[in-house]
Each structure stands twice: as C-alpha cells, then as structure tokens.
Amino acid sequence: METIRLDGARLCRREEALALLGQALALPEWWGCNLDALHDCLTEPDRPLRLELSGREAMEGTQFGRRLLRVLEDAAAENPFLELAPGHDRG
C-alpha cells in the first residue's frame, strides 16, 4: 500500500492545498483543481492508498481546511482502497 504523508498546516489555503495535493497524489494536469474533482479522483477505485494527515488542528481552524477534511473523510468512507489515518505530529 502506498502511503502519502500530508501536513495539514499546509492544507489550509485553497491554492496551496490543491497544488500540494495534485502533486502528492500525482493527479493529471486536467484534474480540475477543485474539491469536487479531488473527491472524484479519490473515490475511483484505483490502488490501495493511505493518506497520513498530521496537523489536522490547523485545518480545522480554517473554512477551507474544514471543507477539505470533509472531502478526504467522505472519499475514504466511499472508497475501500483509500485510508485516511492520523499522521505523526511533530512536537
């Protein structure tokens, strides 16, 4: 299973978050760069994938971060090949 580590502190602002996710998930250039398109990409059964998310608290502190968390959680609930797991916060 492929594991991708995500830093929630870098996923709070729309443009930065979508660019980082597009790169980390190796999404095609035409993927749409929006939350609906991200959800579609994450729910297509493709390959086993584990997303380790640290810094969740930072995401919960912004409107976009909360929306993105919902998309990630919904996609993981719909796609048996996708796991959303807590990351190891540095402290």
Side-chain angles (χ1 to χ4, degrees):
M1 175 180 292
E2 179 182 2
T3 298
I4 296 174
R5 290 174 181 85
L6 301 172
D7 179 0
R10 298 189 65 201
L11 300 176
C12 296
R13 289 181 302 283
R14 183 186 183 282
E15 287 184 20
E16 180 182 12
L18 294 174
L20 287 169
L21 288 166
Q23 182 178 21
L25 298 169
L27 300 177
E29 286 186 28
W30 50 262
W31 75 278
C33 241
N34 62 63
L35 293 178
D36 288 335
L38 177 63
H39 182 270
D40 291 345
C41 290
L42 291 174
T43 54
E44 292 178 3
D46 187 26
R47 66 189 193 276
L49 181 62
R50 176 184 172 99
L51 300 179
E52 289 186 0
L53 179 61
S54 62
R56 185 182 185 108
E57 300 80 27
M59 293 177 73
E60 292 171 344
T62 68
Q63 182 179 10
F64 178 80
R66 289 188 299 273
R67 289 178 59 214
L68 176 55
L69 275 173
R70 273 196 310 271
V71 167
L72 296 174
E73 291 167 347
D74 289 349
E78 290 180 38
N79 183 350
F81 293 104
L82 178 65
E83 177 186 358
L84 181 62
H88 301 288
D89 289 320
R90 296 180 184 121

